[in-house]
Amino acid sequence: MELAIGIILGCCALGAGLCMGIGALGPGIGEGNAVSKACEAIGRQPESKGAVTSTMIMGCAISETTGIYSLVIAILLIFVAPGLLVDLLVEAVKSL
């Protein structure tokens, strides 16, 4: 029983780590690429700074939502899922 609980806790922690590792990688690369291209555009046409900057900020905000979603999933995997899964395991063992 203790081994099964340990496996549940370990898998939840591993899932949360993978979720944040993969979920934070996309927005980081995407936002870095967006800022890079915005700097290039402003360097080529300085008079369009306002339009480029506002569009870049909106795009970065939208791309950050995937990072926030992965953070929410990781928090659920760390704090909510282990309790639910351990309760299910205890009920299954009692029914045997």
Side-chain angles (χ1 to χ4, degrees), residues 32-75:
N33 193 16
V35 172
S36 167
K37 297 299 181 181
C39 287
E40 286 178 16
I42 292 170
R44 289 185 181 149
Q45 292 184 341
E47 66 274 2
S48 66
K49 179 182 177 186
V52 171
T53 302
S54 63
T55 304
M56 179 202 63
I57 289 173
M58 180 61 84
C60 286
I62 291 171
S63 108
E64 188 64 30
T65 58
T66 56
I68 294 170
Y69 290 148
S70 63
L71 175 66
V72 169
I73 297 300
I75 288 172

Side-chain angles (χ1 to χ4, degrees), residues 8-30:
I8 289 172
L9 295 175
C11 288
C12 286
L14 182 65
L18 285 173
C19 182
M20 281 311 297
I22 295 170
L25 186 67
I29 292 172

